[in-house]
Amino acid sequence: MNDIIIKNIKSLILPKKSVHPLKGKEMDELTIIDDAEVVINAGRIIYAGPSGHDFQAEKEMDAGGRIVSPALVEPHTHIVHGGSREHEMSLKRQGVPYLEILKQGGGILNTVEATRNASFDELLNKASASMTRMIQHGVLTIESKSGYGLDRETEMKQLQVSRALEEKFPVMMKHTFLGPHAVPRDKDSDVFLDEMISLLDEVKEIADFADIFCETGVFTIEQSRKYMTAAREKGLRVKIHADEIDPLGGLELALEQDAVSADHLVAASEEGKRQLASTDTVAVLLPGTTFYLGKNEFADARGMIDAGGAVSLATDYNPGSCVTDNLQMIMAVAALKLKMTPNEIWNAVTVNAAHAVGLGTVRGTLDEGDTADLVIWDAPNHEYIPYHYGVNHAYQVIAGGKVIFERPGLSL
Ligand SMILES: O=C(O)CC1=NCN=C1
Ligand SMILES: [Zn+2]
């Protein structure tokens, strides 16, 4: 006897499980099963496909003609942080560039001060509020970065808070050390980078990836290569904030370093985009950040996909350059500004996002045996979610076969 059967599913969205991230034309392939049902037992998918079978289950759920997909995967967040930077909005309005605010000691350094001053519990409570919103928006796999400590004690505190989130919520997480996120005001960048490299032995016990902000006025290509090489020698896979604002060649460095992902890529070179296709490195695009920074040039998703590359999407949720924990909104910006198709977008927030955090065959699909992490959406079809933006379309969120969120209706 199974635990649950979900019936009356208007259409079931089934991204393809693949040992490699979906690339190029594959990204536009998406199986949609109309008139479907899902059978769950012991927290795992037993069946997800056309209805009409005679499955037995303790509990029958009626999807009410709604659509169902795997729970979303969020491959790039700065969810653990103290404070907020709404005061910087006026600087942005006056046209002060992001890197100028950082140079003046604001930006990331402002959040560093708030994070250093926050207790473990304060950071956990604040991140828990964001985690709750992400889950309510259909996300059950999340990557979480450090990078607001710039010292051993606070970087480790952030990573421990990240681990505590995974204990507290029914989600799967990956944890990233982003010690080289900015250079402390009173430090030489090479000296500081060596300090962060010296932490890698300790970090590799608690983090899955090592990440660096390779950007003008932050860390150079040479410094990024030194750090990524050191991290890989310690057995950590690497990520990189690359070519976000200036075209330093961060994407090429990511590919040279066999990075699991290269993130931002707004200023990525044509050569880098061409090389992407011959690797399994996932381009994690963050169009919400481009929108939030008031820029008009978005990452060239079309160019990367059409050249055969693998693309995924994330919020980049952080207090300074993209203050949203709503991945559905990013799906809409990807449709409007990255010119991605609905099928590409759904693959970019499920199976390819899973590959971007080393979970490519573990999350983002509903194959037999997969964890029963799925969302029942209040939407008529899969194209509707990127189309109708700014609202939460998740009706029910099911984690490991348990309904953990149901959007309340009005009590009139
Ligand atoms: O500004 C922040 O807090 C987050 C960020 N890191 C690199 N780009 C944006
Ligand atoms: Zn980021």
Side-chain angles (χ1 to χ4, degrees):
M1 175 66 82
N2 295 300
D3 294 329
I4 303 173
I5 182 167
I6 304 173
K7 289 187 165 235
N8 195 6
I9 298 171
K10 183 173 184 240
S11 56
L12 179 61
I13 300 165
L14 294 179
K16 179 175 74 175
K17 189 186 286 288
S18 165
V19 291
H20 301 284
L22 303 183
K23 300 183 195 178
K25 289 187 174 35
E26 271 185 318
M27 280 205 69
D28 203 27
E29 294 166 9
L30 185 67
T31 301
I32 308 273
I33 307 275
D34 293 335
D35 185 15
E37 61 192 15
V38 172
V39 179
I40 297 167
N41 196 47
R44 297 274 171 182
I45 299 293
I46 301 298
Y47 172 81
S51 62
H53 298 75
D54 189 20
F55 289 108
Q56 301 301 309
E58 295 287 342
K59 179 181 174 188
E60 185 169 306
M61 285 176 66
D62 181 349
R66 297 179 179 87
I67 68 174
V68 171
S69 80
L72 305 186
V73 178
E74 164 67 84
H76 183 132
T77 85
H78 303 256
I79 186 172
V80 178
H81 61 265
S84 58
R85 289 160 35 196
E86 60 273 32
H87 61 281
E88 289 180 359
M89 293 287 280
S90 59
L91 294 174
K92 285 189 175 80
R93 251 196 316 276
Q94 296 158 40
V96 181
Y98 172 88
L99 290 177
E100 183 54 35
I101 296 173
L102 177 58
K103 203 169 162 188
Q104 292 172 11
I108 293 170
L109 296 175
N110 175 285
T111 303
V112 165
E113 192 172 344
T115 307
R116 285 177 174 176
N117 295 335
S119 70
F120 178 97
D121 287 344
E122 284 166 340
L123 291 179
L124 181 58
N125 290 339
K126 184 174 172 60
S128 294
S130 300
M131 178 64 78
T132 300
R133 280 192 294 269
M134 288 181 179
I135 291 170
Q136 290 172 331
H137 282 78
V139 173
L140 289 174
T141 304
I142 296 100
E143 185 262 7
S144 163
K145 303 176 189 292
S146 70
Y148 290 121
L150 312 188
D151 64 22
R152 179 195 164 282
E153 181 197 356
T154 313
E155 290 294 322
M156 294 308 286
K157 178 170 69 174
Q158 278 191 277
L159 289 168
Q160 283 150 6
V161 169
S162 190
R163 288 276 176 185
L165 283 171
E166 193 167 23
E167 292 301 311
K168 184 174 177 183
F169 292 92
V171 298
M172 178 170 275
M173 290 183 71
K174 286 288 185 179
H175 313 277
T176 298
F177 174 61
L178 177 58
H181 190 199
V183 182
R185 273 177 274 251
D186 53 355
K187 281 257 171 70
D188 166 81
S189 65
D190 283 316
V191 170
F192 173 67
L193 187 68
D194 285 344
E195 281 176 22
M196 292 297 104
I197 288 172
S198 72
L199 296 179
L200 289 170
D201 270 322
E202 185 179 8
V203 157
K204 73 178 194 294
E205 302 307 320
I206 190 171
D208 302 287
F209 306 115
D211 190 348
I212 185 164
F213 188 14
C214 177
E215 186 58 77
T216 303
V218 194
F219 295 99
T220 64
I221 286 287
E222 293 69 30
Q223 289 173 319
S224 303
R225 176 178 288 112
K226 177 179 179 182
Y227 171 78
M228 295 169 87
T229 303
R232 295 172 67 210
E233 283 168 359
K234 301 289 181 188
L236 282 158
R237 289 214 63 190
V238 291
K239 289 172 167 282
I240 179 171
H241 282 62
D243 303 326
E244 176 180 359
I245 297 167
D246 288 343
L248 302 186
L251 175 53
E252 289 90 330
L253 176 62
L255 304 182
E256 171 204 298
Q257 293 291 319
D258 186 28
V260 64
S261 75
D263 300 42
H264 283 291
L265 303 183
V266 175
S269 70
E270 291 310 311
E271 178 53 26
K273 287 182 276 188
R274 259 191 304 279
Q275 291 175 16
L276 179 67
S278 60
T279 75
D280 276 352
T281 296
V282 180
V284 177
L285 305 186
L286 309 164
T289 304
T290 308
F291 165 75
Y292 197 81
L293 292 178
K295 304 245 179 197
N296 297 316
E297 285 297 311
F298 284 75
D300 180 13
R302 273 279 41 98
M304 292 177 206
I305 295 170
D306 294 346
V311 162
S312 83
L313 293 167
T315 58
D316 187 20
Y317 174 58
N318 74 79
S321 68
C322 194
V323 199
T324 184
D325 23 32
N326 178 353
L327 187 54
Q328 295 169 44
M329 179 71 191
I330 303 305
M331 293 169 78
V333 180
L336 297 166
K337 293 292 186 180
L338 300 186
K339 301 182 179 51
M340 290 172 68
T341 69
N343 290 358
E344 291 170 341
I345 290 168
W346 275 99
N347 283 318
V349 295
T350 53
V351 60
N352 271 14
H355 274 284
V357 293
L359 292 170
T361 57
V362 178
R363 281 290 185 278
T365 52
L366 294 177
D367 287 34
E368 188 179 339
D370 283 349
T371 300
D373 281 1
L374 56 150
V375 182
I376 299 177
W377 301 95
D378 224 345
N381 55 63
H382 75 294
E383 298 195 31
Y384 192 82
I385 290 171
Y387 154 79
H388 182 160
Y389 67 91
V391 297
N392 180 9
H393 296 282
Y395 173 69
Q396 287 176 306
V397 178
I398 297 170
K402 181 168 179 277
V403 178
I404 62 165
F405 170 70
E406 179 162 328
R407 190 145 48 82
L410 296 179
S411 46
L412 297 176

